Amino acid sequence: MIRVLYAGSPSASATTFSLLAQNATDYEIVGVLTNPASAQGRHKTPVPTPVATAARERGIPVFTPEHLDAACREQITAVSPDMLVCFAYGHIFGPKFLALFKYGGINLHPSLLPKYRGATPVNAAILNGDAQTGITVQRLALAMDEGDILAQEIVALHGTETAGSLLDYSALRGAELIKHVLAHCATYNALPDGTAQHGEASYTNVIAKNDCHINWEKSAQEIDAHVRAYSPEPSAWTLADGEQLKILEAHVAQGDVERVACKDSCAYDTKAAACETDAASKNPVAPSGTVLSFHKKHGIFVKTGNGLLVVTKLQKQGKRAMDAAAFMNGARDFVGMLLK
């Protein structure tokens, strides 16, 4: 029976942890390593990570050190773990820490390594319009995401995934891949033979606020990917009359839906031929970012650098999220506005 220390923090990692903890036969999770509770809300109430909450519900010891120092290593040693299993913990493990584990450590990474090493591989795959991504279980190495590949699965992308839905899927499938690796280790007293990473490596960074700012000069397809890449959080945003407006759900207008946008109003210039189009772009003549019209069935139509984007869910700063119809009830002057 392998004694596992699980390291992770966000909700997707909690999903993987819970699946690993259910009906375990080849291993036992003897402790959880996660980030300290964070202050949230108006009263700055300390809120534990989802992984910490899931572990405590099962009576599993939880460690929340600020640093992986000697004191932390002493606490971990007390539960006698044989292996470290990590998914989205958010810290680099040093040689002294990894030396605590008889079998070393493994890490779940939601990409086809070596592509998209780093903190935001799921977001990058969607943002770049990739046709596929993947889920990789790798041996933990001192350098970030450079360890040998122990298991890997290709995931086809269909252009409708959000970062949230893709990460949730990775958490589910990743748990199964980790179980296979742990079963091998339990049988042979060693991790499977790994495969060195091949191909050109690419890297992703932590998402900054300005990364989520929508550039309306881009095509509707690119902006659709932008919205999905930052959904559900931190969310794509634009400026509407100088105030931040989150665009939570949207899609590219196509076929009959695109014709509806022209037919309804294109109210940015009621004195002009509202449905006049640029022959090259097949778009209504208006600056990119112009709110052209609203249709109760379809949503809010916004001009982009190429094509129309249909916005179906929005959120004003400090307000609750609303569907397009509810939003328009309180935004009579929104049609014709230039989003920036």
Side-chain angles (χ1 to χ4, degrees):
M1 179 73 72
I2 300 172
R3 296 174 62 82
V4 169
L5 177 75
Y6 184 87
S9 295
S11 58
S13 186
T15 297
T16 300
F17 162 79
S18 295
L19 290 172
L20 291 176
Q22 292 173 4
N23 303 319
T25 56
D26 301 310
Y27 57 89
E28 176 188 3
I29 299 179
V30 296
V32 159
L33 180 66
T34 189
N35 286 329
S38 58
Q40 297 181 17
R42 291 178 58 189
H43 302 292
K44 303 299 182 182
T45 304
V47 177
T49 69
V51 168
T53 299
R56 287 173 178 140
E57 288 174 352
R58 292 179 174 273
I60 295 174
V62 175
F63 305 100
T64 58
E66 291 285 353
H67 305 285
L68 302 179
D69 53 16
C72 169
R73 295 194 296 272
E74 184 176 350
Q75 289 181 317
I76 299 302
T77 301
V79 297
S80 304
D82 299 315
M83 182 186 293
L84 174 64
V85 174
C86 178
F87 177 32
Y89 174 49
H91 300 272
I92 300 295
F93 299 107
K96 291 182 180 179
F97 190 84
L98 290 178
L100 300 177
F101 306 94
K102 174 182 176 181
Y103 298 113
I106 61 176
N107 178 56
L108 176 63
H109 190 78
S111 83
L112 287 175
L113 288 173
K115 192 172 186 180
Y116 300 143
R117 291 173 176 168
T120 54
V122 165
N123 311 80
I126 295 174
L127 193 62
N128 293 331
D130 292 353
Q132 65 179 28
T133 185
I135 306 167
T136 302
V137 177
Q138 60 171 155
R139 190 190 306 270
L140 273 169
L142 296 179
M144 182 177 63
D145 297 331
E146 293 188 13
D148 289 350
I149 294 171
L150 305 177
Q152 191 171 68
E153 182 176 290
I154 294 173
V155 178
L157 298 179
H158 305 289
T160 58
E161 298 84 2
T162 66
S165 67
L166 185 53
L167 192 58
D168 287 345
Y169 179 79
S170 299
L172 294 172
R173 287 297 305 148
E176 295 304 313
L177 295 180
I178 291 172
K179 286 180 180 180
H180 287 305
V181 172
L182 291 174
H184 182 283
C185 193
T187 301
Y188 299 101
N189 292 316
L191 287 172
D193 292 333
T195 303
Q197 297 183 29
H198 296 290
E200 184 177 356
S202 61
Y203 295 85
T204 63
N205 298 313
V206 175
I207 297 168
K209 179 181 178 180
N210 284 341
D211 293 335
C212 305
H213 190 184
I214 296 172
N215 178 0
W216 293 103
E217 295 295 336
K218 292 187 175 183
S219 70
Q221 186 172 3
E222 289 174 299
I223 297 173
D224 167 51
H226 182 98
V227 172
R228 291 185 291 107
Y230 299 123
S231 173
E233 56 183 23
S235 300
W237 61 273
T238 188
L239 291 176
D241 198 23
E243 294 187 356
Q244 182 177 304
L245 176 67
K246 290 183 177 181
I247 306 298
L248 303 179
E249 293 180 6
H251 60 269
V252 178
Q254 296 178 340
D256 292 341
V257 173
E258 190 169 15
R259 286 189 286 274
V260 164
C262 267
K263 181 179 178 182
D264 274 8
S265 64
C266 296
Y268 62 87
D269 188 353
T270 56
K271 296 180 181 179
C275 292
E276 181 184 358
T277 60
D278 182 317
S281 66
K282 296 182 180 180
N283 278 339
V285 177
S288 298
T290 300
V291 181
L292 297 177
S293 63
F294 165 65
H295 190 279
K296 288 184 179 180
K297 178 181 178 182
H298 299 294
I300 300 166
F301 292 86
V302 184
K303 165 77 181 296
T304 74
N306 184 11
L308 303 181
L309 189 75
V310 186
V311 178
T312 56
K313 192 173 183 180
L314 315 84
Q315 184 176 15
K316 287 184 177 181
Q317 193 166 11
K319 304 293 184 179
R320 64 180 179 85
M322 291 180 280
D323 62 32
F327 177 87
M328 291 301 294
N329 283 336
R332 299 296 183 181
D333 297 329
F334 194 60
V335 173
M337 187 177 291
L338 181 62
L339 305 179
K340 297 180 180 181

